[in-house]
Amino acid sequence: VREVAVELEQVIWSLSPKHDRLEDLVRHIYQYAEEFFADTPGSCRFGPMADIPSDIKLRPEPRNALFRSFKEAVANILKHAQASTAEIDVRYEDGAIEIRVADNGRGFDPAATPSSTDRNGLPNMHERMTSIGGTCSIHSGPDGTTVVLRWEGNGG
């Protein structure tokens, strides 16, 4: 019940017009990650907020897809990576939003990931990003994994 309540709260947040700026999304991402890693043995570092424009607005659909894909990426760090450090950085350049989530965990082979019903997080990230015209790329090796979520929505 608690997980459903948290998920509902996140959906409501992403649909609210009072959170329609990129700056709001980045603050929400950083705050979520800080709370998510708070009671874990891992640490989390964040990219600078100073580089995020304050006047870029986002529609609810991309805001929701970006946040939920990000949320899946950080959940995978705790579930699978055995990482001690996560780095989260959000950038906006030339009309494109890029969310980079990297860890120093054990890595995995994305091509060999089982497709059983209990492991649909990676396909979900790809589907969410594709649904808004964005991309999700995953690079992984023995030194960790980096997930890059990119959306070229020109702020709209």
Side-chain angles (χ1 to χ4, degrees):
V1 172
R2 187 179 318 196
E3 285 180 31
V4 171
V6 168
E7 186 67 25
L8 182 59
E9 183 179 305
Q10 296 300 327
V11 170
I12 291 169
W13 183 92
S14 69
L15 296 176
S16 171
K18 69 180 180 180
H19 303 293
D20 67 350
R21 295 177 306 140
L22 173 60
E23 185 178 50
D24 298 326
L25 175 63
V26 176
R27 277 199 184 95
H28 192 59
I29 283 172
Y30 287 2
Q31 179 182 358
Y32 178 86
E34 190 170 50
E35 292 171 7
F36 189 78
F37 287 102
D39 294 326
T40 70
S43 65
C44 191
R45 294 191 298 251
F46 302 99
M49 277 291 298
D51 298 337
I52 303 300
S54 62
D55 61 341
I56 303 300
K57 293 202 172 204
L58 299 173
R59 293 185 324 271
E61 297 83 8
R63 198 167 59 230
N64 188 43
L66 286 162
F67 182 76
R68 291 184 67 186
S69 297
F70 156 78
K71 190 174 159 185
E72 184 66 43
V74 295
N76 287 340
I77 292 173
L78 286 186
K79 286 181 191 175
H80 308 293
Q82 298 176 348
S84 62
T85 304
E87 294 182 15
I88 298 164
D89 189 27
V90 182
R91 301 205 181 251
Y92 180 82
E93 252 179 37
D94 300 324
I97 298 166
E98 186 174 280
I99 301 171
R100 181 177 300 270
V101 179
D103 68 61
N104 66 347
R106 63 185 178 152
F108 70 103
D109 179 1
T113 301
S115 60
S116 67
T117 56
D118 64 331
R119 292 201 159 209
N120 52 13
L122 296 179
N124 284 348
M125 287 193 304
H126 286 284
E127 287 173 23
R128 283 186 188 112
M129 293 307 297
T130 300
S131 76
I132 61 168
T135 60
C136 172
S137 58
I138 301 170
H139 307 282
S140 190
D143 295 331
T145 300
T146 301
V147 174
V148 178
L149 308 169
R150 185 173 174 82
W151 182 63
E152 296 185 42
N154 296 316

